[in-house]
Each structure stands twice: as C-alpha cells, then as structure tokens.
Amino acid sequence: MKISFLFPEKNQGEKLIRHLKEMVLPFLDKQPIAYDVLICPNGCSEEEMNLLEEAKKELPLQVRVLKNVIPGGKGAGIKEGIKEAQSDFVFFMDADMATDLEVLNRFLPLLPQYDCILASRDMPDSVYVQRQPFRRRLAHWLGRIIIKMKLHMPFKDTQCGFKAYRTSVAKVMVRHQKFNGFSFDLEYLYFLTLNGFRCKEIGCKWKDDPDSTISKKSVFISFYQDVKQIKKNKKTYLLSKEEKEELGGRYAH
C-alpha cells in the first residue's frame, strides 16, 4: 500500500519544513507503508516558493513541491495534489500539525474498508491537548449546527484538517469540486455522502493553532454562504453513469 501525504501551503513554509524534518518524516519512516509527501503551494509568494525549493534540497527524494496554484486557496492546493498523486490513498493534513500523528495508527488498518476516513475533534474518545479560545469554540459549534441543518450529513466534525481518501475515488471527486477555499473538504464529504461512499469518523488528539483565522466574522460568514451554495449544487455532485462504471465496485449504489 502506498500513501501520498498532501500538505496545503501558503506562506507557512518555515513551519511546514520544520515539522516535516522533526515530526512527520521520522514518524512515517517507522510505518509499514510506502509513501511520498506532496507540498501543495496555493497562492504563495515568489519568496515563499524559493524557500520551499531550497528546503527541498535537504529533504528525501519522496518529498515533492508541486506547482504554485494561482490565485490559490487551500482547496485548490489539495485538488492539485490529488490530481498528481500516484498512490492507493491520499491523506491531507495542515502545516500546523494540530492533529496528533498517532491517529494514523488507527487509520491504517481501516483503510481497505473505506473510501474516506476523517479525524474528528468531537468523538467521545477525542482529546483536546490545548483547548480553543471561546470565540473559536463558538464558531465551531455554530458551524456544526449550520452543516447539520443544511446538509444533513452524519459527521460530527467536518473541518478537522486530517482526512484520508481512496485515490481512485478522490480523483473523480475533484472533478466535481467548485470551492477552492476553506469549505472544500465539506464539499468533498457532501459528494461522498450523496453518492453512498463508505466513510468512517475517528476520534483524535488535537491542539489549537493560535494562528487560525476561522473565528473571524468575515470567514464565518463566507463559510455560511458556501454551505448554502453547496446545498444548491447538489445535483452537480452526483456521479455520472460513466463515473460509476469507472469506479466499479467502489460505487456503493
């Protein structure tokens, strides 16, 4: 089994490279998998791209820096990574490493059974190492209510930045992608739910990133508008007859 680990990156290069060297690569080297790491720049500055290219020279060959997607957006970076992946599964995680990598040990045995596995901050066995400030907890709680009311999905936490997808499914999924910003992974989960793919939510250990902007009013309003638009786009997320045939046994209906 080969896994591609995707890291969306926008002007957090120093943090990402440090985490790759000190945490991610040593951890992955101990796992019983073949892997590569795809850094997915989205809207990075020229200086940031130079930093990434220079840092790559000191990293193993299985670490690649993809082209800089312009105008960018986290979802645009992940989409490019999925399109480039040559693996059985793709994972994406954030440069801040808010989700503890140990949850990967729970993901790996389950991967063959599912098309998507997502880490969750809201499962009974989830652990907050560093709690969010009240404003972010409120935004998270309101977001859950909005998603439940509008999209009726079974997940407790759609926005935790640690998810795995079967690559063959993900490559079809991104053909239907319309959002390049913060809401892209919500759109992914809606696509998977509508088409009956097998998904699993797993509790994780998580710590807050103080640099996050999700609690800003403008970001939350934009997210709410995206949720409404995703609902309106429902028909565009349904698989075509050709895509169902392409996916074969992975298509559940």
Side-chain angles (χ1 to χ4, degrees), residues 64-75:
R64 295 170 54 199
V65 177
L66 303 185
K67 69 179 182 181
N68 188 20
V69 181
I70 301 294
K74 182 178 177 181

Side-chain angles (χ1 to χ4, degrees), residues 172-173 176 187-195 197 237 239:
V172 174
M173 180 174 71
H176 296 257
E187 184 182 32
Y188 286 179
L189 292 174
Y190 194 50
F191 166 87
L192 294 166
T193 301
L194 287 176
N195 290 293
F197 289 105
Y237 299 128
L239 291 169

Side-chain angles (χ1 to χ4, degrees), residues 89 104-115 117 166 200-202:
F89 295 90
L104 183 63
N105 293 323
R106 299 183 63 192
F107 274 55
L108 293 179
L110 296 173
L111 285 177
Q113 304 172 46
Y114 295 97
D115 303 300
I117 302 179
R166 188 178 300 274
K200 176 74 171 178
E201 192 170 12
I202 292 178

Side-chain angles (χ1 to χ4, degrees), residues 26-68:
F27 182 84
L28 295 181
D29 284 340
K30 297 177 183 178
Q31 306 305 313
I33 56 172
Y35 76 89
D36 60 4
V37 171
L38 306 182
I39 298 174
C40 307
N42 49 97
C44 288
S45 64
E46 183 177 349
E47 291 78 12
E48 184 77 1
M49 289 303 298
N50 291 336
L51 182 153
L52 292 173
E53 291 294 342
E54 284 299 311
K56 187 172 74 72
K57 296 175 183 178
E58 301 178 0
L59 295 170
L61 293 177
Q62 67 263 42
V63 179
R64 295 170 54 199
V65 177
L66 303 185
K67 69 179 182 181
N68 188 20

